[in-house]
Structures are given as C-alpha cells and as structure tokens.
Amino acid sequence: MENTETQKLKEELFNVKKTGWEEMSEETRKAVFKFADEYMDYLNLSKTEKEIVKNSKDILQKNGFVDLQEKQDLKPGDKVFFVNRDRTIFAAVMGEETLENGIRMIAAHGDSPRIDLKPNPLYEDSGLGLFKTHYYGGIKKYQWTNIPLSMHATFVKPNGEKIEVNIGEEEGDPIFTISDLLPHLANQQMERKLKEGVQGEELNIVAGSIPFEDEKISEKIKLNLLKLLYDKYGIKEIDFTSAEVEFVPAYKAKSLGLDSSMVAAYGQDDKVCCYTSLRGILDIGTPKNTAVCVLTDKEEIGFCGVTGMESKTFEYFITELLNKEGQNKPNALEKVFHHSKVISADVDGAFDPTFPASFDKINSCFIGKGPTIVKYTGSRGKSGASESPAEFVAEVRGIFEKSGVMYQSSELGKVDLGGGGTIAVVLANRGMSVIDCGVPVLAMHSPYEITSKFDVYEAYRAYEAFYKG
Ligand code: MN
Ligand code: MN
C-alpha cells in the first residue's frame, strides 16, 4: 500500500483518465440518457447527407435560425443558415466582435460509408432482378452482405422535377439485401483473403423476382420492376442516369448493452459529431466571436466536389456574412480565416479489446472517457496531416478544462499500421487554426457502429464550450 503523500503526488503528476460514468451525479446521468434518446431519433431520420441537411435545417429553424438569403444585414446575436445544394449546411450565430477577428467553427460531415447504385444498375439474371452497385467510402465489403438495406434515392428529371424514393425504413416496407454465397459451396471463396472475401463487383442487390406476364417478351422481371417504379414514381430506366440511389442499413438506432450505456447505429461516423456540434450552437446567446457550425458532404471520398469541404462555396458563405455585416473589403476573407479557430469534429477509432494488436494502448482513445483530441492524423510519419500547433491544442484544452469537460487525447492505431485523414487539413490550408476532436467509435465504418452515450453528451458539452470561447 502506497502512503498517502506518494499517492497524492502520483494523482497530481499522472494523467489518468477515468470513465465518465464514475462519480456521475443522478442529474447528469438523466441528462446523458435523455440526450442519447434525442440523438437516436435524429439518426433514425437522417441516414444520408441530404437527410442530415434537411433535418438539421428543421432543428435550426425551430431554434430561431433563418435563411441567410432572407437577411439584408447582420448584427450580433443574429442566427442564420446557408444550404449548399441540399447536401451541406452552414449555420452561424453572429458574435460581438467583427468577423475580421475570426470565427469559432466546428465542422463535421454528414456523409457516411454506404452502397450506391451504378448509373445503369438494373438487370435480370436467372430469375432475379438485381442492382449493380459501387460502394461509397472505405468499407469492409463482407460486412455489407445479408443485412437489411433501405433505399434512399433522389431522381431528377431534365425538367428539374425531383422524385424522392425511400423504401425500407417504415414498418411494413420491403427491404433489400446483398446475398453472399452459402458456406456449403464456399470452399474456394473461403480461401480468398478477407479483403477479397466479397469483391466490389459481387455487391449486387437483390431487387425482385416476379416476371411481367407476357410469354413472348424477354427480361420480364426487369420489365416488371421498371413498371412498378413507373406506376408509383414515374421513373424510367433512363432516369437512373440523373439519380443518387443510396442503400444504407435499414437498422434503427438502439441502446446497446445490459446497462443501455451505448448507442448502436448506422452512420455515427460522423453523424454523432453533426448532432452534437449542431445542438451545441443552438443555445449560446451572443458569443464573443461569430460561431459557425458546418455539416459538410463528401468527406468519406476525399473532401472534394462542389459540396465537399474543399468547395469554394464555403468562401462564398463567409463572404456573404462579411457583406451583410458591412465589413467586406480586399483581404477581409483571408483575415477572417487567419484569425479563426476550428474544431474538425470527426470520430476516432476506439480501442477494441478484441483486437489489441492494432492499437497502441497508451495512445488510444476509449469508449466512455469523453471526446478525444487528435493533434495529428495522417499515416507513416504523420504524412498528409495538418498537425495542430501546441499553442492551439493548449487553448482548446484550456476551454475544456475550464468547463469541466472530460476529454482524452489519442492517435489512430499503431505507427505504420494504417491511418486516416479528416477535413482538418482542408481548413488548415485556408489559414485557420484547426484541431481534430471527436467521439470514439467502435466498429467504425461498419453497418452498425458503437458509441458511448457519455461521450456523445460530453462532445456536445465540449463543442458548446468551444463556440462560447
Ligand atoms: Mn469521419
Ligand atoms: Mn469515416
């Protein structure tokens, strides 16, 4: 037994992180579970990047945010939002200071790994109607077979008419699935490496099996499926050309474990940071610096594209804020960026005791110990990382500590084993101070990801504290 003096010294000097559940008040426990219920409701409505934008916009409007286009000028305390092509949303609360003194921004992404249809997807083979797919984002393909999938689609006609199709989420809806080979006949397949166990071209979605009633015609099943789509939605085969047809797990978000301490759900990378950063900005009064919440698209495929974080639409949004604040002049935009402070709110892979060999245990984040600060991402010698300067890490840490937010700090996995990147680099390249900080996730990029309810709640508290400064 150590003597108390030594024990005290150890407590003083060591960086030991407990889980958030220890010494939690009854009041906090209630708040954690209530917040998780609201989070799960949001997840069940928001499985795609477009649904994230739609539902986040609803939440913003209910909380007094108005479309930036409706405002002629902006003053401290004004709450606005801006939607880019239904796939990305920016929200701002104007601060006491002018924009030139920098903004405080939290940026998360609403897109998650999923299964998309190819442009010419529908075919028929051996009594089945099937869809050809191209997966979106980094997935372990074998995880996506033989699970219930729902279809979330937007078809756009050349005249601009938009047709939304959502099948598989409502009770009583049919679902879809990708069929894998039965084990009885899989001897050859089982010899493949896990990586190739199920290959990209084998991710075909089972879509139907009833033939159209006409003896003389070929491709009767395909015809029957197209007729169903045409009768109900007015969609013809050519309309897949200008469509986004996304298949996601049809699972509902659920409480996980005997103690219900965790959330199991699809798409928590990075919808958990979308929800917590959005909730965090709703109720901050008039902050010192303008607070901005970004829910971006296309993170999972490299931040690019017109709705990705690299898009100049972000500059357009900030410029519009400057114009309406009445402060715009040459270089004002660069000045805003230079003085801005940003959290790139993205999830990190939590330590998994079943696969300890992939992690450096003393530099991993853990479920239940709060959001994790990630000073650098990248891989093999921090390559591709926008490593955050120690000064900025200290500032963010200070905000968390002042607010009593429990946080950890980590890097992803063992050195040289893999790695990953976030939109932090895209924002740092614009001249903003950026740090990654997000929620630890188990089974990241799987169809059913796991988070701790405590971490979800604590991330919300961390983000709210950061907006306030
Ligand atoms: Mn992510
Ligand atoms: Mn991801």
Side-chain angles (χ1 to χ4, degrees):
M1 179 98 189
E2 295 170 84
N3 72 46
T4 34
E5 279 304 304
T6 323
Q7 230 165 0
K8 265 190 207 155
L9 182 68
K10 189 179 168 186
E11 270 165 35
E12 175 73 20
L13 297 183
F14 273 41
N15 175 23
V16 180
K17 305 282 188 197
K18 289 191 216 157
T19 84
W21 300 105
E22 291 166 63
E23 294 159 29
M24 188 187 279
S25 72
E26 196 46 41
E27 195 190 349
T28 305
R29 187 176 297 260
K30 273 193 192 134
V32 166
F33 280 91
K34 180 169 179 280
F35 192 89
D37 285 343
E38 291 158 357
Y39 167 52
M40 289 191 280
D41 289 343
Y42 175 82
L43 286 178
N44 286 333
L45 290 172
S46 320
K47 291 198 172 179
T48 67
E49 73 291 354
K50 295 185 213 69
E51 290 165 1
I52 280 281
V53 168
K54 181 174 171 292
N55 293 315
S56 302
K57 186 175 130 182
D58 283 351
I59 291 171
L60 288 167
Q61 284 177 318
K62 279 185 193 128
N63 285 276
F65 286 72
V66 299
D67 195 319
L68 180 58
Q69 284 163 5
E70 290 167 20
K71 298 286 273 185
Q72 292 308 309
D73 41 47
L74 292 169
K75 55 180 194 317
D78 281 352
K79 305 201 277 189
V80 293
F81 65 84
F82 178 101
V83 174
N84 179 19
R85 295 168 170 86
D86 296 336
R87 288 155 181 83
T88 287
I89 187 164
F90 309 125
V93 181
M94 300 305 290
E96 287 160 11
E97 306 257 351
T98 60
L99 286 160
E100 278 194 349
N101 291 314
I103 60 173
R104 282 183 177 269
M105 181 167 114
I106 303 183
H109 66 93
D111 63 318
S112 303
R114 58 175 194 252
I115 308 289
D116 286 345
L117 289 195
K118 291 190 184 189
N120 303 298
L122 185 58
Y123 69 107
E124 139 171 18
D125 195 347
S126 315
L128 288 175
L130 295 147
F131 286 128
K132 295 296 297 176
T133 71
H134 196 141
Y135 63 98
Y136 174 96
I139 60 168
K140 291 164 95 173
K141 299 180 194 84
Y142 70 88
Q143 292 182 331
W144 293 73
T145 62
N146 301 112
I147 62 167
L149 297 170
S150 57
M151 180 201 272
H152 297 240
T154 305
F155 292 83
V156 189
K157 300 268 194 180
N159 66 3
E161 185 197 350
K162 257 189 201 182
I163 304 149
E164 306 284 347
V165 181
N166 189 313
I167 302 168
E169 294 293 341
E170 295 298 322
E171 203 58 46
D173 272 5
I175 51 92
F176 302 84
T177 199
I178 293 166
S179 77
D180 192 5
L181 188 60
L182 63 166
H184 315 64
L185 300 180
N187 273 350
Q188 276 184 328
Q189 185 196 26
M190 300 290 255
E191 294 303 320
R192 296 180 186 174
K193 283 186 177 163
L194 189 55
K195 195 176 169 184
E196 290 123 29
V198 176
Q199 291 169 11
E201 290 292 347
E202 292 168 341
L203 293 174
N204 299 320
I205 292 174
V206 178
S209 64
I210 299 179
F212 192 83
E213 277 190 50
D214 186 324
E215 276 308 306
K216 283 163 282 187
I217 207 151
S218 66
E219 298 185 274
K220 292 195 242 327
I221 295 170
K222 178 173 169 177
L223 179 61
N224 195 50
L225 291 173
L226 281 172
K227 180 147 191 319
L228 282 172
L229 283 173
Y230 187 71
D231 288 349
K232 185 148 186 198
Y233 305 104
I235 293 163
K236 299 178 186 181
E237 189 176 21
I238 193 164
D239 295 321
F240 281 95
T241 304
S242 49
E244 278 152 29
V245 189
E246 305 176 10
F247 284 82
V248 297
Y251 306 134
K252 297 278 177 237
K254 298 271 187 186
S255 291
L256 175 69
L258 275 176
D259 55 7
S260 293
S261 61
M262 293 166 275
V263 173
Y266 162 71
Q268 296 197 72
D269 174 8
D270 185 34
K271 293 167 173 72
V272 64
C273 297
C274 290
Y275 188 67
T276 47
S277 61
L278 183 75
R279 282 285 302 266
I281 203 172
L282 295 180
D283 211 12
I284 51 172
T286 303
K288 186 162 171 286
N289 292 82
T290 295
V292 173
C293 174
V294 168
L295 308 184
T296 183
D297 181 28
K298 296 289 181 283
E299 191 277 342
E300 295 293 355
I301 58 170
F303 338 126
C304 39
V306 72
T307 55
M309 199 65 242
E310 283 187 355
S311 168
K312 287 278 189 284
T313 305
F314 178 62
E315 274 80 349
Y316 172 53
F317 166 68
I318 299 293
T319 302
E320 279 296 275
L321 294 184
L322 280 165
N323 290 337
K324 293 184 180 189
E325 187 195 49
Q327 298 282 339
N328 206 359
K329 52 183 181 260
N331 286 336
L333 181 68
E334 288 79 1
K335 210 166 164 186
V336 175
F337 286 159
H338 180 75
H339 293 288
S340 288
K341 290 163 184 177
V342 184
I343 286 181
S344 158
D346 207 344
V347 300
D348 195 18
F351 182 82
D352 188 335
T354 306
F355 300 100
S358 300
F359 298 86
D360 165 15
K361 198 169 182 180
I362 60 176
N363 282 287
S364 294
C365 59
F366 293 82
I367 287 281
K369 295 187 173 183
T372 186
I373 288 177
V374 182
K375 191 174 185 293
Y376 51 85
T377 58
S379 55
R380 283 161 285 274
K382 305 187 183 180
S383 181
S386 60
E387 179 160 8
S388 193
E391 291 86 343
F392 186 53
V393 184
E395 191 179 332
V396 173
R397 204 191 113 191
I399 291 171
F400 292 173
E401 287 171 9
K402 203 177 75 193
S403 312
V405 167
M406 194 181 264
Y407 68 93
Q408 6 180 6
S409 68
S410 59
E411 66 172 82
L412 180 61
K414 275 188 176 163
V415 175
D416 288 346
L417 207 67
T422 67
I423 56 170
V425 63
V426 176
L427 298 162
N429 288 345
R430 284 183 164 109
M432 306 165 107
S433 291
V434 189
I435 181 127
D436 278 296
C437 177
V439 173
V441 173
L442 275 176
M444 198 206 282
H445 282 208
S446 79
Y448 217 41
E449 302 172 317
I450 298 162
T451 57
S452 158
K453 289 183 181 177
F454 170 73
D455 298 339
V456 176
Y457 183 69
E458 205 67 354
Y460 153 66
R461 295 212 316 123
Y463 296 155
E464 190 179 67
F466 180 79
Y467 285 130
K468 287 179 177 170

